[in-house]
């Protein structure tokens, strides 16, 4: 089968090569998916650049990407919840990374039937970003009438988080740049803040939840806008102690300034590492079929142009998701 592999760490165009591989072997709990579409995410770019070698050692060459939609072609003898021919989608587990290929074997616990009302390309755009939005806002305990600030509403994660928060009955503030204002508003956000011309901190005040998808100064600033008793959920800022422990860093301490801001504001800080989960994808499937969430795709690239897809992702300006049509 044809697969797009990372052969070295460094510049995107120098690091990715199409290789011919044999079909992956199917373990007892796996399904073999004939890949129809894959989506790429900032983590895929960070892996290629070599920025995650310490935290996420990956043997090279390795096939790139985690998001997939496709058709079940084979299944292991321990799989009872999928049949050959099922249309599915998944964020594959770390050890099965490699959806930019004609076939991928995936632990069935990470797989869900694909939403029936969307295309393979749209379905592939959902898993990693959708699970991140879902798991982050659930960890925040989101509920009706909560006031939520979601940074980068035009990003892959933000565009789904807005829709998930609205589906839970929250009031949503979001930030984006001038060119994206109209379509981000159309996702249901109550107040879209143009970060080019407006100061989000003077508009989103005393919110229950900040969803920090930007990191850097935004993590600390979150404590200026979250209310006492509220929560800051970050997927990009400093690790919290629980996630550091999960990654084997038992001596890790939250940076002092963040710990102080959290304590002064009496508001929690949590870092979320999304995890593959077929049951969560199944919940997202229902929200998509109920038209509470729709996929947002910036561009679909043919498989042969996967490197161009990564170059687009690396601009950091994607409007929703970047997808690769594999077959
Ligand atoms: N911890 C985890 O498990 C986890 C999981 C998923 C993602 N992440 C991380 O979360 C981050 C977001 O992921 P993503 O997939 O949503 O990225 P993305 O789709 O590449 O984000 C691009 C978007 O960010 C917006 N943006 C950039 N700077 C901004 C700013 N200062 N204010 C508001 N919007 C801004 C851009 O809009 P404009 O062009 O309008 O600026 C663009 O639409 C990434 O760093 C990713 O690595 C972490």
């Amino acid at each position: 089968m044809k697969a797009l592999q990372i052969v070295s760490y460094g510049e995107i165009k120098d690091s990715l090569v199409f290789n011919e591989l044999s079909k992956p072997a199917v373990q007892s709990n796996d399904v073999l998916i004939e890949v129809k579409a894959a989506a790429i995410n900032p983590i895929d770019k960070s892996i290629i650049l070599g920025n995650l070698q310490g935290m996420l050692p990956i043997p090279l060459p390795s096939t790139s990407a985690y998001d997939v939609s496709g058709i079940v072609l084979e299944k292991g003898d321990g799989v009872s919840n999928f049949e050959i021919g099922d249309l599915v989608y998944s964020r594959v587990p770390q050890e099965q990374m490699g959806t930019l290929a004609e076939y991928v074997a995936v632990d069935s616990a990470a797989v869900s039937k694909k939403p029936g009302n969307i295309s393979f390309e749209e379905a592939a755009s959902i898993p990693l970003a959708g699970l991140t939005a879902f798991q982050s806002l659930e960890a925040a305990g989101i509920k009706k009438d909560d006031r939520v600030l979601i940074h980068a509403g035009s990003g892959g994660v933000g565009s789904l988080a807005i829709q998930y928060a609205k589906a839970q009955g929250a009031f949503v503030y979001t930030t984006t740049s001038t060119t994206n204002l109209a379509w981000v508003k159309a996702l249901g956000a109550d107040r879209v803040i143009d970060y080019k011309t407006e100061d989000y901190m003077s508009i989103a005040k005393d919110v229950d939840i900040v969803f920090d998808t930007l990191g850097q100064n935004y993590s600390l600033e979150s404590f200026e806008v979250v209310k006492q008793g509220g929560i800051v959920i970050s997927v990009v800022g400093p690790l919290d102690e629980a996630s550091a422990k999960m990654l084997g860093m038992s001596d890790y301490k939250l940076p002092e300034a963040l710990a102080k801001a959290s304590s002064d504001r009496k508001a929690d800080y949590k870092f979320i590492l999304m995890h593959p989960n077929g049951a969560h994808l199944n919940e997202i499937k229902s929200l998509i079929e109920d038209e509470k969430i729709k996929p947002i795709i910036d561009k679909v690239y043919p498989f042969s142009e996967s490197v161009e897809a990564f170059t687009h992702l690396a601009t950091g300006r994607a409007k929703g998701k970047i997808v690769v049509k594999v077959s």
Side-chain angles (χ1 to χ4, degrees):
M1 67 170 189
K2 194 171 160 189
L4 184 75
Q5 294 209 295
I6 310 165
V7 294
S8 60
Y9 293 121
E11 288 303 311
I12 287 166
K13 62 175 178 21
D14 303 329
S15 306
L16 295 171
V17 170
F18 281 106
N19 280 330
E20 202 55 47
L21 307 177
S22 43
K23 261 191 207 168
V26 175
Q27 306 300 318
S28 166
N29 291 325
D30 289 351
V31 291
L32 181 72
I33 299 175
E34 178 192 352
V35 179
K36 289 291 177 186
I40 57 175
N41 291 279
I43 187 172
D44 303 315
K45 175 200 69 182
S46 302
I47 290 172
I48 296 165
L49 296 178
N51 296 343
L52 297 181
Q53 287 180 70
M55 205 195 277
L56 203 59
I58 288 172
L60 297 186
S62 263
T63 306
S64 182
Y66 296 95
D67 276 336
V68 64
S69 69
I71 303 174
V72 174
L73 213 59
E74 291 173 29
K75 61 177 203 163
D77 51 16
V79 176
S80 55
N81 47 345
F82 294 100
E83 298 304 331
I84 310 299
D86 279 350
L87 313 187
V88 294
Y89 72 151
S90 179
R91 187 290 196 187
V92 306
Q94 182 57 47
E95 57 282 7
Q96 295 178 313
M97 184 183 103
T99 59
L100 278 166
E102 288 171 296
Y103 305 94
V104 64
V106 190
D107 185 331
S108 58
V111 178
S112 161
K113 301 255 176 69
K114 147 192 173 304
N117 58 337
I118 60 174
S119 67
F120 281 115
E121 290 77 27
E122 289 172 315
S125 78
I126 296 288
L128 193 152
L131 288 171
T132 305
F134 175 92
Q135 291 168 358
S136 297
L137 291 171
E138 283 304 303
I142 190 168
K143 58 185 186 318
K144 191 171 179 314
D145 296 331
D146 274 350
R147 287 148 43 83
V148 183
L149 168 63
I150 296 169
H151 276 299
S154 51
V157 174
S159 57
L160 295 173
I162 292 170
Q163 299 181 74
Y164 185 69
K166 286 309 298 175
Q168 305 313 305
F171 183 96
V172 174
Y173 298 91
T174 191
T175 56
T176 191
S177 65
T178 318
T179 49
N180 292 321
L181 288 178
W183 73 264
V184 171
K185 175 87 189 153
L187 296 179
D190 297 281
R191 177 66 165 90
V192 185
I193 303 166
D194 180 350
Y195 74 80
K196 298 273 188 194
T197 60
E198 297 182 294
D199 170 22
Y200 81 89
M201 284 195 282
S202 62
I203 296 168
K205 284 181 166 303
D206 286 328
V207 300
D208 298 275
I209 300 169
V210 179
F211 186 22
D212 167 28
T213 60
L214 291 169
Q216 298 177 18
N217 53 319
Y218 291 93
S219 307
L220 198 55
E221 283 177 12
S222 298
F223 290 97
E224 303 281 319
V225 297
V226 73
K227 73 173 197 191
Q228 264 200 19
I231 185 162
V232 176
I233 296 281
S234 182
V235 288
V236 194
L239 296 174
D240 61 11
E241 284 158 21
S243 35
K245 205 168 171 187
M246 258 169 44
L247 294 168
M249 298 181 238
S250 44
D251 295 337
Y252 176 89
K253 289 270 171 269
L254 195 63
E256 214 171 292
L258 204 58
K260 182 173 183 322
S262 165
S263 151
D264 288 353
R265 195 60 163 188
K266 298 186 176 55
D268 281 343
Y269 175 81
K270 252 191 206 171
F271 183 88
I272 298 295
L273 266 175
M274 65 75 55
H275 55 277
N277 188 315
H280 288 173
L281 279 181
N282 206 41
E283 289 192 47
I284 296 172
K285 168 182 182 284
S286 301
L287 289 163
I288 293 173
E289 289 174 343
D290 291 345
E291 299 186 351
K292 298 267 182 3
I293 290 183
K294 61 173 184 181
I296 305 295
I297 294 186
D298 182 324
K299 188 165 174 185
V300 178
Y301 287 85
F303 195 21
S304 58
E305 291 176 20
S306 300
V307 174
E308 285 81 351
F310 275 107
T311 308
H312 181 177
L313 176 77
T315 64
R317 299 267 84 83
K319 301 176 196 312
K321 299 290 308 171
I322 298 168
V323 174
V324 175
K325 182 174 177 159
V326 175
S327 74

